[in-house]
Amino acid sequence: MQEFFASPAFLPVAGILAGTVLGYAARRQHFCTMAALERYWYAGDGSGVRTWVLAAAFALIATQVLSFAGLADPARSFYLAPSFGLTGAILGGLAFGFGMALVGTCGFGALVRAGGGSLRALVVILVLGLSALAAQRGLLALLRVEAVDKLAIDLSFAGDQSIGAIVSALSGVDLRLAVAVLVAAGLLCWALAGGAGRLSRGAVATAGVVGAVIAFGWVATTLAARASFMPVQVEAGSFVVPVADTILQAIAFTGQGPDYGVGLVLGVVAGAALCAWRRHDIRWEACDDARELGRHLVGGFLMGAGGVFALGCTIGQGITAVSALAVSAPFVIFSIALGARMGLAYLIEGSPLAAFRRFGSEPAE
């Protein structure tokens, strides 16, 4: 079994399989964070947001159970590195959220749309990937080092930046399990408030699939990292840097084969395409005019750069980091939501500042 997990083909194949399931489920149920937020703010429909929170809760529960069982090791991932870039979480999250509003979806949603024939989504994916490369290794990386890396908060006193580890270090008592239980219970209670009937069976099933795919990613990459003699990045699901890596793998020989993230990206497109084909929903879509194209170019750039600064996206920080109980998750999630609200206010009401005028008048559920 060790040779199987250490095989160069194991991670990309595992990623493709997981991504296919994820892409199919997301396309079938229209699992989209941006659409969920827009409906919540402007139509008073919280079902999409609750589905997303439920997915995070399922991912957290499965990941923590597997972690305590020794089958997953999120502590080896960059989400739980002892250095916490607070400025990146806030600035990157705001940029990502604003870009998400300009595009109408996130990086994950763009991959799902591309599977259905959206050329607009393809433009977003390409720009997102290239800007992520610039923020990771290019000129934007110089700004990231100064604004994020050099201002990072050192949490090495706790061992890592998981909420459970920080609380345990401050209290002197191992409270990791208690923290995991409390956070999971809180998420489940909010998502299912008023009874499970508030969410359709399809929504609950989709949340379960998303949570299971994230947990599977942790297990697959952990097993590969333990078996391989080469460095393996322990991850579960993100759609910013893996998109950049996929583009890089396609155009240049890097001396290193595709990893789990690249397989996941390809799998999501394949799964979404399969669902669209089965539902007779494949259609070519392009930008209506230069103005729309420009909006997608700017939005893709903001999401790519912002996602690298924040170390994740709506899936990477919104679900994967939550499953690992990373302290960065709530900061990035709030910043993405605020950025998206400002972006929607700009598009719909003509000014990003309109978002702040409307915060006090949320529609009651």
Side-chain angles (χ1 to χ4, degrees), residues 32 34-35 38 95-111 113 118-125 127-128 285 287 291-304 339-340 343-344 346-347:
C32 174
M34 187 65 241
E38 189 171 5
F96 188 95
F98 199 95
M100 186 171 68
L102 293 180
V103 169
T105 189
C106 61
F108 172 69
L111 292 170
R113 291 185 179 184
S118 174
L119 299 178
R120 289 176 296 185
L122 179 60
V123 169
V124 171
I125 292 168
V127 175
L128 183 152
E285 298 178 345
C287 295
R291 191 174 188 178
E292 185 180 20
L293 176 60
R295 195 167 66 242
H296 280 68
L297 291 174
V298 174
F301 172 81
L302 290 175
M303 285 197 293
L344 285 175
Y346 167 72
L347 293 174

Side-chain angles (χ1 to χ4, degrees), residues 38-140:
E38 189 171 5
R39 290 198 305 270
Y40 180 70
W41 287 324
Y42 288 95
D45 178 9
S47 59
V49 174
R50 291 183 186 280
T51 302
W52 177 71
V53 172
L54 187 60
F58 285 157
L60 189 157
I61 293 169
T63 299
Q64 294 303 313
V65 169
L66 292 167
S67 179
F68 280 103
L71 296 175
D73 191 6
R76 298 176 65 168
S77 73
F78 62 85
Y79 290 111
L80 296 186
S83 180
F84 169 39
L86 177 60
T87 53
I90 296 174
L91 297 176
L94 287 172
F96 188 95
F98 199 95
M100 186 171 68
L102 293 180
V103 169
T105 189
C106 61
F108 172 69
L111 292 170
V112 173
R113 291 185 179 184
S118 174
L119 299 178
R120 289 176 296 185
L122 179 60
V123 169
V124 171
I125 292 168
L126 292 174
V127 175
L128 183 152
L130 293 175
S131 62
L133 281 173
Q136 187 184 30
R137 313 179 188 185
L139 292 177
L140 284 177

